Amino acid sequence: MFAGKVVVVTGAAGALGRAVFEHFADGGARVVALDYSDELLDSAFPVKDSMHEYRKVDLTRRDSCQLVLSKIIDDLGQINILCNVAGGFLMGEAVHETSDETWDFLFNLNTRSIVNTSSVVVPQMQKQGGGKIVNIAAKAATQGFANMGAYTASKAAVMRLTEAMAAELREQQINVNCIMPGTIDTPRNREDMPDADHNRWVPPSQLASVIGFLASDAAAAVHGAAIPVDGLS
Protein backbone atom coordinates (compact mmCIF):
# COMPACT_ATOMS: atom_id res chain seq x y z
CA MET A 1 0.00 0.00 0.00
CA PHE A 2 2.87 2.38 0.77
CA ALA A 3 5.48 1.17 -1.71
CA GLY A 4 7.61 4.04 -2.97
CA LYS A 5 6.62 6.29 -0.07
CA VAL A 6 8.96 7.86 2.47
CA VAL A 7 7.41 7.96 5.94
CA VAL A 8 8.84 9.89 8.91
CA VAL A 9 7.82 8.67 12.37
CA THR A 10 8.77 10.80 15.38
CA GLY A 11 9.02 9.14 18.79
CA ALA A 12 9.71 5.93 16.91
CA ALA A 13 11.42 4.22 19.86
CA GLY A 14 8.26 4.29 21.96
CA ALA A 15 5.58 1.61 22.02
CA LEU A 16 3.25 3.44 19.63
CA GLY A 17 6.11 4.71 17.50
CA ARG A 18 7.43 1.19 16.95
CA ALA A 19 3.96 -0.04 15.99
CA VAL A 20 3.59 2.80 13.49
CA PHE A 21 7.05 2.10 12.10
CA GLU A 22 6.19 -1.56 11.64
CA HIS A 23 2.82 -0.79 10.03
CA PHE A 24 4.36 1.33 7.30
CA ALA A 25 7.38 -0.92 6.87
CA ASP A 26 5.07 -3.90 6.39
CA GLY A 27 3.18 -1.82 3.82
CA GLY A 28 6.32 -1.39 1.73
CA ALA A 29 7.32 2.16 2.72
CA ARG A 30 10.80 3.39 3.45
CA VAL A 31 10.49 4.53 7.06
CA VAL A 32 12.63 7.07 8.89
CA ALA A 33 12.60 6.47 12.65
CA LEU A 34 13.32 9.59 14.69
CA ASP A 35 13.93 9.81 18.42
CA TYR A 36 16.06 11.87 20.75
CA SER A 37 19.04 9.52 21.21
CA ASP A 38 20.91 6.80 19.39
CA GLU A 39 20.68 4.68 22.54
CA LEU A 40 16.88 4.72 22.43
CA LEU A 41 16.85 3.86 18.74
CA ASP A 42 19.36 1.05 19.24
CA SER A 43 17.26 -0.39 22.06
CA ALA A 44 14.02 -0.19 20.07
CA PHE A 45 15.57 -1.42 16.82
CA PRO A 46 18.47 -3.72 17.75
CA VAL A 47 18.43 -5.19 14.23
CA LYS A 48 18.29 -2.41 11.67
CA ASP A 49 16.95 -2.91 8.16
CA SER A 50 19.09 -1.13 5.57
CA MET A 51 15.93 -0.06 3.74
CA HIS A 52 15.03 2.22 6.63
CA GLU A 53 16.69 5.12 8.43
CA TYR A 54 17.24 5.66 12.16
CA ARG A 55 18.23 9.16 13.23
CA LYS A 56 18.36 11.15 16.44
CA VAL A 57 16.77 14.60 16.67
CA ASP A 58 15.68 17.06 19.34
CA LEU A 59 12.10 17.71 18.32
CA THR A 60 11.80 20.61 20.74
CA ARG A 61 14.47 22.57 18.83
CA ARG A 62 13.67 23.96 15.41
CA ASP A 63 17.33 24.02 14.35
CA SER A 64 17.71 20.32 15.14
CA CYS A 65 14.55 19.45 13.17
CA GLN A 66 15.66 21.56 10.23
CA LEU A 67 19.10 19.96 10.16
CA VAL A 68 17.89 16.36 10.40
CA LEU A 69 14.77 16.60 8.22
CA SER A 70 16.54 18.62 5.52
CA LYS A 71 19.21 15.90 5.39
CA ILE A 72 16.49 13.25 5.04
CA ILE A 73 14.96 15.17 2.12
CA ASP A 74 18.39 15.54 0.51
CA ASP A 75 19.18 11.86 0.97
CA LEU A 76 15.81 10.33 0.07
CA GLY A 77 14.37 12.99 -2.22
CA GLN A 78 10.98 13.33 -0.55
CA ILE A 79 8.85 12.92 2.54
CA ASN A 80 5.35 11.70 1.69
CA ILE A 81 3.97 11.02 5.16
CA LEU A 82 4.78 12.62 8.51
CA CYS A 83 3.55 10.92 11.68
CA ASN A 84 4.05 13.16 14.70
CA VAL A 85 3.89 10.39 17.30
CA ALA A 86 6.32 11.82 19.88
CA GLY A 87 4.67 13.16 22.99
CA GLY A 88 4.78 13.29 26.74
CA PHE A 89 2.47 12.84 29.72
CA LEU A 90 2.67 14.32 33.20
CA MET A 91 -0.01 14.89 35.82
CA GLY A 92 -0.31 15.62 39.52
CA GLU A 93 -0.19 19.40 39.66
CA ALA A 94 -3.17 21.67 40.00
CA VAL A 95 -3.23 24.44 37.41
CA HIS A 96 -2.21 27.09 39.95
CA GLU A 97 0.68 24.89 41.06
CA THR A 98 1.95 24.02 37.57
CA SER A 99 5.70 24.51 37.34
CA ASP A 100 7.44 26.09 34.37
CA GLU A 101 9.23 22.78 33.88
CA THR A 102 5.99 20.81 33.56
CA TRP A 103 4.39 23.37 31.26
CA ASP A 104 7.44 23.66 29.01
CA PHE A 105 7.99 19.90 28.86
CA LEU A 106 4.43 19.15 27.76
CA PHE A 107 3.96 22.01 25.33
CA ASN A 108 7.43 21.63 23.81
CA LEU A 109 7.07 17.90 23.23
CA ASN A 110 3.36 17.71 22.41
CA THR A 111 2.88 20.87 20.36
CA ARG A 112 6.10 22.71 19.54
CA SER A 113 7.45 19.49 18.03
CA ILE A 114 4.63 19.55 15.45
CA VAL A 115 5.42 23.14 14.50
CA ASN A 116 9.13 22.30 14.24
CA THR A 117 8.73 19.25 12.01
CA SER A 118 6.10 20.98 9.89
CA SER A 119 8.41 23.94 9.26
CA VAL A 120 10.59 21.63 7.16
CA VAL A 121 8.21 18.97 5.89
CA VAL A 122 5.28 21.13 4.75
CA PRO A 123 7.33 23.23 2.27
CA GLN A 124 8.68 19.98 0.81
CA MET A 125 5.16 18.55 0.49
CA GLN A 126 4.03 21.76 -1.19
CA LYS A 127 6.84 21.44 -3.73
CA GLN A 128 6.06 17.79 -4.47
CA GLY A 129 2.33 18.42 -4.79
CA GLY A 130 0.90 16.71 -1.72
CA GLY A 131 1.39 14.62 1.37
CA LYS A 132 -0.13 13.32 4.59
CA ILE A 133 0.41 14.48 8.17
CA VAL A 134 -1.01 12.62 11.18
CA ASN A 135 -0.75 14.04 14.70
CA ILE A 136 -1.49 12.44 18.07
CA ALA A 137 -3.96 14.24 20.33
CA ALA A 138 -5.73 12.41 23.17
CA LYS A 139 -9.21 11.46 24.32
CA ALA A 140 -8.41 13.44 27.46
CA ALA A 141 -8.09 16.58 25.34
CA THR A 142 -11.85 16.83 24.94
CA GLN A 143 -12.29 18.24 28.46
CA GLY A 144 -10.31 19.38 31.47
CA PHE A 145 -9.46 17.03 34.30
CA ALA A 146 -8.22 17.90 37.77
CA ASN A 147 -4.45 17.79 38.10
CA MET A 148 -4.02 17.27 34.34
CA GLY A 149 -4.49 20.85 33.16
CA ALA A 150 -1.17 21.29 31.35
CA TYR A 151 -1.41 17.88 29.67
CA THR A 152 -5.00 18.27 28.49
CA ALA A 153 -4.29 21.82 27.31
CA SER A 154 -1.27 20.68 25.30
CA LYS A 155 -3.21 17.88 23.63
CA ALA A 156 -6.18 20.17 22.96
CA ALA A 157 -3.68 22.46 21.25
CA VAL A 158 -2.71 19.53 19.02
CA MET A 159 -6.33 19.30 17.86
CA ARG A 160 -6.52 23.02 17.10
CA LEU A 161 -3.16 22.95 15.28
CA THR A 162 -4.40 20.01 13.23
CA GLU A 163 -7.56 21.87 12.24
CA ALA A 164 -5.62 25.03 11.37
CA MET A 165 -3.09 23.14 9.26
CA ALA A 166 -5.84 21.25 7.47
CA ALA A 167 -7.58 24.51 6.58
CA GLU A 168 -4.31 26.00 5.36
CA LEU A 169 -3.11 23.02 3.31
CA ARG A 170 -6.13 21.09 2.01
CA GLU A 171 -6.18 22.97 -1.31
CA GLN A 172 -2.58 21.85 -1.85
CA GLN A 173 -3.42 18.14 -1.58
CA ILE A 174 -1.94 17.87 1.90
CA ASN A 175 -4.16 16.02 4.38
CA VAL A 176 -3.68 16.84 8.07
CA ASN A 177 -5.59 14.83 10.66
CA CYS A 178 -5.13 13.50 14.19
CA ILE A 179 -6.22 10.62 16.37
CA MET A 180 -7.35 10.75 20.00
CA PRO A 181 -6.20 7.62 21.83
CA GLY A 182 -7.63 6.51 25.14
CA THR A 183 -5.37 4.43 27.38
CA ILE A 184 -2.83 2.61 25.22
CA ASP A 185 -1.94 -0.96 26.14
CA THR A 186 1.79 -0.54 26.74
CA PRO A 187 4.13 -2.24 29.22
CA ARG A 188 4.57 1.09 31.05
CA ASN A 189 0.81 1.59 31.44
CA ARG A 190 0.38 -1.99 32.67
CA GLU A 191 3.12 -1.39 35.22
CA ASP A 192 1.55 1.88 36.38
CA MET A 193 -2.01 0.46 36.48
CA PRO A 194 -1.67 -3.25 37.30
CA ASP A 195 -5.24 -3.63 38.56
CA ALA A 196 -6.92 -2.12 35.49
CA ASP A 197 -8.77 -4.23 32.91
CA HIS A 198 -6.11 -4.19 30.22
CA ASN A 199 -8.46 -5.84 27.72
CA ARG A 200 -10.33 -2.53 27.50
CA TRP A 201 -7.25 -0.63 26.36
CA VAL A 202 -6.15 -0.08 22.77
CA PRO A 203 -3.18 -2.06 21.45
CA PRO A 204 -0.59 0.11 19.67
CA SER A 205 -1.04 -1.95 16.49
CA GLN A 206 -4.70 -0.92 16.27
CA LEU A 207 -3.79 2.74 16.65
CA ALA A 208 -1.16 2.27 13.96
CA SER A 209 -3.82 0.89 11.62
CA VAL A 210 -5.94 4.02 12.03
CA ILE A 211 -2.88 6.21 11.45
CA GLY A 212 -2.17 4.13 8.36
CA PHE A 213 -5.68 4.72 7.08
CA LEU A 214 -5.36 8.49 7.52
CA ALA A 215 -2.06 8.36 5.63
CA SER A 216 -3.53 6.31 2.77
CA ASP A 217 -5.24 7.28 -0.46
CA ALA A 218 -8.48 5.99 1.04
CA ALA A 219 -8.52 9.06 3.31
CA ALA A 220 -7.97 11.59 0.52
CA ALA A 221 -11.22 13.38 1.39
CA VAL A 222 -10.50 13.59 5.14
CA HIS A 223 -9.15 16.92 6.39
CA GLY A 224 -8.88 18.21 9.97
CA ALA A 225 -10.44 15.17 11.61
CA ALA A 226 -9.83 14.21 15.24
CA ILE A 227 -10.69 10.51 15.43
CA PRO A 228 -11.28 8.87 18.82
CA VAL A 229 -9.52 5.51 19.10
CA ASP A 230 -10.23 4.51 22.67
CA GLY A 231 -11.35 0.88 22.60
CA LEU A 232 -13.55 0.21 25.61
CA SER A 233 -11.79 2.63 27.93
Side-chain angles (χ1 to χ4, degrees):
M1 178 184 294
F2 298 105
K5 305 290 187 183
V6 175
V7 181
V8 170
V9 180
T10 72
L16 179 55
R18 290 196 303 271
V20 173
F21 179 101
E22 291 167 3
H23 181 87
F24 285 106
D26 289 346
R30 187 167 192 180
V31 188
V32 181
L34 298 182
D35 221 303
Y36 68 83
S37 74
D38 289 328
E39 291 77 14
L40 271 177
L41 290 165
D42 289 342
S43 177
F45 305 99
V47 178
K48 294 181 173 59
D49 187 329
S50 60
M51 179 178 176
H52 308 302
E53 302 282 334
Y54 311 82
R55 304 193 187 186
K56 69 176 180 179
V57 62
D58 184 349
L59 295 167
T60 69
R61 294 179 56 89
R62 186 174 294 221
D63 56 353
S64 179
C65 289
Q66 289 177 332
L67 179 66
V68 173
L69 290 167
S70 295
K71 185 67 164 59
I72 291 166
I73 292 168
D74 289 343
D75 291 348
L76 305 184
Q78 60 187 358
I79 293 175
N80 307 102
I81 298 165
L82 170 63
C83 299
N84 286 307
V85 177
F89 173 78
L90 287 174
M91 64 173 294
E93 296 169 322
V95 171
H96 69 280
E97 296 172 333
T98 300
S99 67
D100 290 344
E101 291 76 15
T102 293
W103 184 269
D104 290 344
F105 171 77
L106 291 171
F107 272 84
N108 282 341
L109 193 51
N110 291 337
T111 60
R112 186 182 295 276
S113 62
I114 294 173
V115 176
N116 288 345
T117 58
S118 298
S119 71
V120 184
V121 174
V122 168
Q124 173 62 27
M125 288 182 172
Q126 290 171 320
K127 288 180 183 178
Q128 68 195 23
K132 310 282 188 180
I133 299 174
V134 184
N135 301 321
I136 310 299
K139 179 183 177 182
T142 59
Q143 67 182 94
F145 294 91
N147 303 317
M148 291 177 61
Y151 173 73
T152 56
S154 69
K155 286 298 190 178
V158 172
M159 296 167 66
R160 301 293 85 83
L161 285 174
T162 297
E163 292 164 352
M165 292 176 69
E168 294 159 357
L169 300 171
R170 60 190 299 165
E171 299 291 344
Q172 298 169 68
Q173 311 306 312
I174 300 173
N175 298 74
V176 187
N177 296 287
C178 68
I179 64 169
M180 299 188 298
T183 304
I184 304 174
D185 189 3
T186 66
R188 174 64 182 272
N189 282 338
R190 286 186 175 230
E191 180 181 335
D192 290 345
M193 295 175 276
D195 298 326
D197 184 353
H198 304 147
N199 292 322
R200 303 183 70 84
W201 296 353
V202 184
S205 60
Q206 292 184 8
L207 288 163
S209 293
V210 179
I211 292 170
F213 164 72
L214 291 173
S216 73
D217 292 339
V222 184
H223 298 275
I227 299 179
V229 191
D230 55 359
L232 301 175
S233 61

